[in-house]
PDB file of all heavy atoms in Angstrom:
ATOM      1  N   HIS A  68     -19.455   6.353   7.921  1.00 98.00           N
ATOM      2  CA  HIS A  68     -18.568   6.490   6.717  1.00 98.00           C
ATOM      3  C   HIS A  68     -18.842   5.333   5.818  1.00 98.00           C
ATOM      4  O   HIS A  68     -18.329   4.227   6.013  1.00 98.00           O
ATOM      5  CB  HIS A  68     -17.131   6.512   7.137  1.00 98.00           C
ATOM      6  CG  HIS A  68     -16.144   6.837   6.082  1.00 98.00           C
ATOM      7  ND1 HIS A  68     -15.116   7.714   6.180  1.00 98.00           N
ATOM      8  CD2 HIS A  68     -16.072   6.341   4.805  1.00 98.00           C
ATOM      9  CE1 HIS A  68     -14.385   7.748   5.091  1.00 98.00           C
ATOM     10  NE2 HIS A  68     -14.966   6.932   4.218  1.00 98.00           N
ATOM     11  N   HIS A  70     -19.524   4.374   1.352  1.00 98.00           N
ATOM     12  CA  HIS A  70     -19.642   4.813  -0.019  1.00 98.00           C
ATOM     13  C   HIS A  70     -20.563   3.780  -0.716  1.00 98.00           C
ATOM     14  O   HIS A  70     -20.032   2.748  -1.160  1.00 98.00           O
ATOM     15  CB  HIS A  70     -18.299   4.831  -0.790  1.00 98.00           C
ATOM     16  CG  HIS A  70     -17.230   5.559  -0.110  1.00 98.00           C
ATOM     17  ND1 HIS A  70     -16.582   6.676  -0.646  1.00 98.00           N
ATOM     18  CD2 HIS A  70     -16.479   5.298   1.029  1.00 98.00           C
ATOM     19  CE1 HIS A  70     -15.594   7.070   0.096  1.00 98.00           C
ATOM     20  NE2 HIS A  70     -15.471   6.285   1.147  1.00 98.00           N
ATOM     21  N   ARG A  77     -14.642  -4.688  -7.642  1.00 96.00           N
ATOM     22  CA  ARG A  77     -13.231  -4.699  -7.979  1.00 96.00           C
ATOM     23  C   ARG A  77     -12.534  -5.932  -7.288  1.00 96.00           C
ATOM     24  O   ARG A  77     -11.502  -5.737  -6.688  1.00 96.00           O
ATOM     25  CB  ARG A  77     -12.616  -3.308  -7.588  1.00 96.00           C
ATOM     26  CG  ARG A  77     -13.056  -2.283  -8.589  1.00 96.00           C
ATOM     27  CD  ARG A  77     -12.750  -0.818  -8.311  1.00 96.00           C
ATOM     28  NE  ARG A  77     -11.703  -0.446  -7.468  1.00 96.00           N
ATOM     29  CZ  ARG A  77     -11.720   0.561  -6.626  1.00 96.00           C
ATOM     30  NH1 ARG A  77     -12.804   1.312  -6.546  1.00 96.00           N
ATOM     31  NH2 ARG A  77     -10.717   0.851  -5.830  1.00 96.00           N
ATOM     32  N   GLU A  80      -9.051  -6.568  -8.384  1.00 96.00           N
ATOM     33  CA  GLU A  80      -8.039  -5.719  -7.770  1.00 96.00           C
ATOM     34  C   GLU A  80      -7.750  -6.146  -6.387  1.00 96.00           C
ATOM     35  O   GLU A  80      -6.602  -6.109  -5.994  1.00 96.00           O
ATOM     36  CB  GLU A  80      -8.639  -4.308  -7.812  1.00 96.00           C
ATOM     37  CG  GLU A  80      -7.765  -3.207  -7.109  1.00 96.00           C
ATOM     38  CD  GLU A  80      -8.489  -1.926  -6.911  1.00 96.00           C
ATOM     39  OE1 GLU A  80      -9.160  -1.332  -7.772  1.00 96.00           O
ATOM     40  OE2 GLU A  80      -8.365  -1.428  -5.755  1.00 96.00           O
ATOM     41  N   TYR A  90      -2.193  -0.761  -2.566  1.00 92.00           N
ATOM     42  CA  TYR A  90      -3.458   0.085  -2.859  1.00 92.00           C
ATOM     43  C   TYR A  90      -3.034   1.541  -2.973  1.00 92.00           C
ATOM     44  O   TYR A  90      -2.315   2.013  -2.151  1.00 92.00           O
ATOM     45  CB  TYR A  90      -4.394  -0.108  -1.634  1.00 92.00           C
ATOM     46  CG  TYR A  90      -5.594   0.830  -1.778  1.00 92.00           C
ATOM     47  CD1 TYR A  90      -6.629   0.472  -2.628  1.00 92.00           C
ATOM     48  CD2 TYR A  90      -5.674   2.085  -1.202  1.00 92.00           C
ATOM     49  CE1 TYR A  90      -7.729   1.314  -2.823  1.00 92.00           C
ATOM     50  CE2 TYR A  90      -6.776   2.898  -1.300  1.00 92.00           C
ATOM     51  CZ  TYR A  90      -7.793   2.456  -2.142  1.00 92.00           C
ATOM     52  OH  TYR A  90      -8.854   3.325  -2.323  1.00 92.00           O
ATOM     53  N   GLY A  92      -5.550   3.816  -4.521  1.00 85.00           N
ATOM     54  CA  GLY A  92      -6.719   4.651  -4.794  1.00 85.00           C
ATOM     55  C   GLY A  92      -6.965   4.776  -6.303  1.00 85.00           C
ATOM     56  O   GLY A  92      -7.969   5.323  -6.764  1.00 85.00           O
ATOM     57  N   GLY A  94      -7.845   2.711  -8.455  1.00 93.00           N
ATOM     58  CA  GLY A  94      -9.006   1.950  -8.944  1.00 93.00           C
ATOM     59  C   GLY A  94     -10.295   2.669  -8.849  1.00 93.00           C
ATOM     60  O   GLY A  94     -11.318   2.274  -9.436  1.00 93.00           O
ATOM     61  N   ILE A  95     -10.336   3.835  -8.101  1.00 95.00           N
ATOM     62  CA  ILE A  95     -11.540   4.668  -7.965  1.00 95.00           C
ATOM     63  C   ILE A  95     -12.041   5.014  -9.366  1.00 95.00           C
ATOM     64  O   ILE A  95     -13.284   4.930  -9.621  1.00 95.00           O
ATOM     65  CB  ILE A  95     -11.250   5.890  -7.130  1.00 95.00           C
ATOM     66  CG1 ILE A  95     -10.918   5.567  -5.750  1.00 95.00           C
ATOM     67  CG2 ILE A  95     -12.452   6.852  -7.163  1.00 95.00           C
ATOM     68  CD1 ILE A  95     -10.361   6.764  -4.866  1.00 95.00           C
ATOM     69  N   THR A  98     -14.309   2.416 -10.951  1.00 97.00           N
ATOM     70  CA  THR A  98     -15.675   2.450 -10.373  1.00 97.00           C
ATOM     71  C   THR A  98     -16.447   3.648 -10.934  1.00 97.00           C
ATOM     72  O   THR A  98     -17.680   3.614 -11.172  1.00 97.00           O
ATOM     73  CB  THR A  98     -15.672   2.421  -8.889  1.00 97.00           C
ATOM     74  OG1 THR A  98     -14.946   1.292  -8.426  1.00 97.00           O
ATOM     75  CG2 THR A  98     -17.079   2.385  -8.285  1.00 97.00           C
ATOM     76  N   TYR A 135     -18.490   8.649  -6.913  1.00 98.00           N
ATOM     77  CA  TYR A 135     -18.113   7.751  -8.046  1.00 98.00           C
ATOM     78  C   TYR A 135     -18.859   8.307  -9.332  1.00 98.00           C
ATOM     79  O   TYR A 135     -18.903   7.573 -10.318  1.00 98.00           O
ATOM     80  CB  TYR A 135     -18.461   6.366  -7.764  1.00 98.00           C
ATOM     81  CG  TYR A 135     -17.664   5.707  -6.744  1.00 98.00           C
ATOM     82  CD1 TYR A 135     -18.180   5.274  -5.462  1.00 98.00           C
ATOM     83  CD2 TYR A 135     -16.274   5.467  -6.926  1.00 98.00           C
ATOM     84  CE1 TYR A 135     -17.468   4.683  -4.537  1.00 98.00           C
ATOM     85  CE2 TYR A 135     -15.515   4.839  -5.903  1.00 98.00           C
ATOM     86  CZ  TYR A 135     -16.126   4.417  -4.732  1.00 98.00           C
ATOM     87  OH  TYR A 135     -15.368   3.842  -3.803  1.00 98.00           O
ATOM     88  N   LEU A 159     -19.089  14.069  -2.146  1.00 98.00           N
ATOM     89  CA  LEU A 159     -17.679  13.763  -2.283  1.00 98.00           C
ATOM     90  C   LEU A 159     -17.335  13.920  -3.776  1.00 98.00           C
ATOM     91  O   LEU A 159     -16.748  13.001  -4.346  1.00 98.00           O
ATOM     92  CB  LEU A 159     -17.383  12.306  -1.680  1.00 98.00           C
ATOM     93  CG  LEU A 159     -15.984  11.833  -1.789  1.00 98.00           C
ATOM     94  CD1 LEU A 159     -14.926  12.739  -1.036  1.00 98.00           C
ATOM     95  CD2 LEU A 159     -15.857  10.413  -1.185  1.00 98.00           C
ATOM     96  N   HIS A 162     -13.421  13.262  -4.822  1.00 98.00           N
ATOM     97  CA  HIS A 162     -12.869  12.018  -4.462  1.00 98.00           C
ATOM     98  C   HIS A 162     -11.546  11.818  -5.126  1.00 98.00           C
ATOM     99  O   HIS A 162     -10.492  11.549  -4.481  1.00 98.00           O
ATOM    100  CB  HIS A 162     -13.956  10.927  -4.818  1.00 98.00           C
ATOM    101  CG  HIS A 162     -13.747   9.572  -4.153  1.00 98.00           C
ATOM    102  ND1 HIS A 162     -14.541   8.534  -4.416  1.00 98.00           N
ATOM    103  CD2 HIS A 162     -12.871   9.206  -3.202  1.00 98.00           C
ATOM    104  CE1 HIS A 162     -14.131   7.541  -3.659  1.00 98.00           C
ATOM    105  NE2 HIS A 162     -13.099   7.901  -2.918  1.00 98.00           N
ATOM    106  N   PHE A 197     -11.231  13.840  -0.430  1.00 98.00           N
ATOM    107  CA  PHE A 197     -10.136  12.877  -0.254  1.00 98.00           C
ATOM    108  C   PHE A 197      -8.812  13.684  -0.328  1.00 98.00           C
ATOM    109  O   PHE A 197      -8.338  14.028  -1.405  1.00 98.00           O
ATOM    110  CB  PHE A 197     -10.162  11.750  -1.345  1.00 98.00           C
ATOM    111  CG  PHE A 197      -9.187  10.696  -1.227  1.00 98.00           C
ATOM    112  CD1 PHE A 197      -8.485  10.315   0.031  1.00 98.00           C
ATOM    113  CD2 PHE A 197      -8.922   9.832  -2.330  1.00 98.00           C
ATOM    114  CE1 PHE A 197      -7.588   9.282   0.082  1.00 98.00           C
ATOM    115  CE2 PHE A 197      -8.029   8.752  -2.209  1.00 98.00           C
ATOM    116  CZ  PHE A 197      -7.373   8.503  -1.014  1.00 98.00           C
ATOM    117  N   HIS A 225     -11.481  12.754   4.272  1.00 98.00           N
ATOM    118  CA  HIS A 225     -10.648  11.634   4.273  1.00 98.00           C
ATOM    119  C   HIS A 225      -9.222  12.159   4.458  1.00 98.00           C
ATOM    120  O   HIS A 225      -8.755  12.896   3.594  1.00 98.00           O
ATOM    121  CB  HIS A 225     -10.701  10.861   2.891  1.00 98.00           C
ATOM    122  CG  HIS A 225     -11.851  10.092   2.641  1.00 98.00           C
ATOM    123  ND1 HIS A 225     -13.121  10.587   2.467  1.00 98.00           N
ATOM    124  CD2 HIS A 225     -12.017   8.754   2.503  1.00 98.00           C
ATOM    125  CE1 HIS A 225     -14.012   9.581   2.209  1.00 98.00           C
ATOM    126  NE2 HIS A 225     -13.379   8.503   2.271  1.00 98.00           N
ATOM    127  N   GLN A 228      -4.683   8.750   5.215  1.00 97.00           N
ATOM    128  CA  GLN A 228      -4.934   7.340   5.005  1.00 97.00           C
ATOM    129  C   GLN A 228      -3.710   6.652   4.456  1.00 97.00           C
ATOM    130  O   GLN A 228      -3.260   5.589   4.969  1.00 97.00           O
ATOM    131  CB  GLN A 228      -6.106   7.144   3.953  1.00 97.00           C
ATOM    132  CG  GLN A 228      -6.236   5.634   3.640  1.00 97.00           C
ATOM    133  CD  GLN A 228      -7.297   5.388   2.479  1.00 97.00           C
ATOM    134  OE1 GLN A 228      -7.763   6.418   1.857  1.00 97.00           O
ATOM    135  NE2 GLN A 228      -7.594   4.188   2.237  1.00 97.00           N
ATOM    136  N   HIS A 248     -10.082   7.975   8.635  1.00 98.00           N
ATOM    137  CA  HIS A 248      -8.899   7.078   8.311  1.00 98.00           C
ATOM    138  C   HIS A 248      -7.867   7.318   9.394  1.00 98.00           C
ATOM    139  O   HIS A 248      -7.670   6.455  10.231  1.00 98.00           O
ATOM    140  CB  HIS A 248      -8.259   7.255   6.907  1.00 98.00           C
ATOM    141  CG  HIS A 248      -9.042   6.634   5.836  1.00 98.00           C
ATOM    142  ND1 HIS A 248      -9.111   5.291   5.640  1.00 98.00           N
ATOM    143  CD2 HIS A 248      -9.832   7.156   4.913  1.00 98.00           C
ATOM    144  CE1 HIS A 248      -9.907   4.986   4.629  1.00 98.00           C
ATOM    145  NE2 HIS A 248     -10.393   6.077   4.094  1.00 98.00           N
ATOM    146  N   LEU A 278     -11.259   3.290  10.329  1.00 98.00           N
ATOM    147  CA  LEU A 278     -11.905   2.456   9.358  1.00 98.00           C
ATOM    148  C   LEU A 278     -11.125   1.182   9.145  1.00 98.00           C
ATOM    149  O   LEU A 278     -10.422   0.981   8.124  1.00 98.00           O
ATOM    150  CB  LEU A 278     -12.014   3.287   8.013  1.00 98.00           C
ATOM    151  CG  LEU A 278     -12.628   4.660   8.148  1.00 98.00           C
ATOM    152  CD1 LEU A 278     -12.403   5.443   6.962  1.00 98.00           C
ATOM    153  CD2 LEU A 278     -14.154   4.501   8.469  1.00 98.00           C
ATOM    154  N   ALA A 281     -10.628  -0.963   6.003  1.00 98.00           N
ATOM    155  CA  ALA A 281      -9.712  -0.532   4.922  1.00 98.00           C
ATOM    156  C   ALA A 281      -8.310  -1.081   5.107  1.00 98.00           C
ATOM    157  O   ALA A 281      -7.695  -1.524   4.116  1.00 98.00           O
ATOM    158  CB  ALA A 281      -9.689   1.045   4.804  1.00 98.00           C
ATOM    159  N   ASP A 307     -16.419   2.170   6.118  1.00 98.00           N
ATOM    160  CA  ASP A 307     -15.846   2.732   4.839  1.00 98.00           C
ATOM    161  C   ASP A 307     -16.326   1.835   3.705  1.00 98.00           C
ATOM    162  O   ASP A 307     -15.624   1.618   2.683  1.00 98.00           O
ATOM    163  CB  ASP A 307     -14.340   2.663   4.890  1.00 98.00           C
ATOM    164  CG  ASP A 307     -13.660   3.512   3.814  1.00 98.00           C
ATOM    165  OD1 ASP A 307     -14.369   4.313   3.144  1.00 98.00           O
ATOM    166  OD2 ASP A 307     -12.507   3.324   3.520  1.00 98.00           O
ATOM    167  N   ASN A 309     -17.092   0.294   0.563  1.00 98.00           N
ATOM    168  CA  ASN A 309     -16.855   0.726  -0.812  1.00 98.00           C
ATOM    169  C   ASN A 309     -16.277  -0.418  -1.610  1.00 98.00           C
ATOM    170  O   ASN A 309     -15.714  -1.378  -0.996  1.00 98.00           O
ATOM    171  CB  ASN A 309     -15.906   1.955  -0.903  1.00 98.00           C
ATOM    172  CG  ASN A 309     -14.443   1.653  -0.659  1.00 98.00           C
ATOM    173  OD1 ASN A 309     -13.782   1.229  -1.574  1.00 98.00           O
ATOM    174  ND2 ASN A 309     -14.032   1.834   0.580  1.00 98.00           N
ATOM    175  N   PRO A 310     -16.364  -0.376  -2.986  1.00 98.00           N
ATOM    176  CA  PRO A 310     -15.944  -1.544  -3.707  1.00 98.00           C
ATOM    177  C   PRO A 310     -14.394  -1.718  -3.872  1.00 98.00           C
ATOM    178  O   PRO A 310     -13.915  -2.783  -4.347  1.00 98.00           O
ATOM    179  CB  PRO A 310     -16.540  -1.333  -5.117  1.00 98.00           C
ATOM    180  CG  PRO A 310     -16.596   0.176  -5.221  1.00 98.00           C
ATOM    181  CD  PRO A 310     -16.936   0.611  -3.810  1.00 98.00           C
ATOM    182  N   GLY A 311     -13.623  -0.695  -3.405  1.00 97.00           N
ATOM    183  CA  GLY A 311     -12.222  -0.764  -3.581  1.00 97.00           C
ATOM    184  C   GLY A 311     -11.521  -1.148  -2.300  1.00 97.00           C
ATOM    185  O   GLY A 311     -10.938  -2.227  -2.222  1.00 97.00           O
ATOM    186  N   SER A 312     -11.471  -0.284  -1.330  1.00 97.00           N
ATOM    187  CA  SER A 312     -10.566  -0.420  -0.132  1.00 97.00           C
ATOM    188  C   SER A 312     -11.180  -1.178   0.991  1.00 97.00           C
ATOM    189  O   SER A 312     -10.455  -1.587   1.931  1.00 97.00           O
ATOM    190  CB  SER A 312     -10.022   0.899   0.326  1.00 97.00           C
ATOM    191  OG  SER A 312     -11.120   1.678   0.794  1.00 97.00           O
TER     192      SER A 312
HETATM  193  O1  LIG B 401     -12.228   5.801   1.851  1.00 87.96           O
HETATM  194  N1  LIG B 401      -9.735   6.653   0.149  1.00 87.96           N
HETATM  195  C1  LIG B 401     -10.645   7.133  -0.623  1.00 87.96           C
HETATM  196  N2  LIG B 401     -11.813   6.566  -0.754  1.00 87.96           N
HETATM  197  C2  LIG B 401     -12.175   5.234  -0.410  1.00 87.96           C
HETATM  198  C3  LIG B 401     -11.749   4.206  -1.316  1.00 87.96           C
HETATM  199  C4  LIG B 401     -12.429   4.301  -2.600  1.00 87.96           C
HETATM  200  C5  LIG B 401     -12.069   3.171  -3.599  1.00 87.96           C
HETATM  201  O2  LIG B 401     -10.943   2.620  -3.590  1.00 87.96           O
HETATM  202  O3  LIG B 401     -12.930   3.028  -4.472  1.00 87.96           O
HETATM  203  C6  LIG B 401     -11.724   5.004   0.992  1.00 87.96           C
HETATM  204  O4  LIG B 401     -10.938   4.137   1.285  1.00 87.96           O
END
Side-chain angles (χ1 to χ4, degrees):
H68 185 137
H70 309 245
R77 289 172 17 220
E80 180 191 311
Y90 175 79
I95 295 173
T98 303
Y135 291 113
L159 180 56
H162 198 182
F197 184 19
H225 285 70
Q228 175 187 7
H248 284 288
L278 309 166
D307 196 17
N309 76 79
S312 65

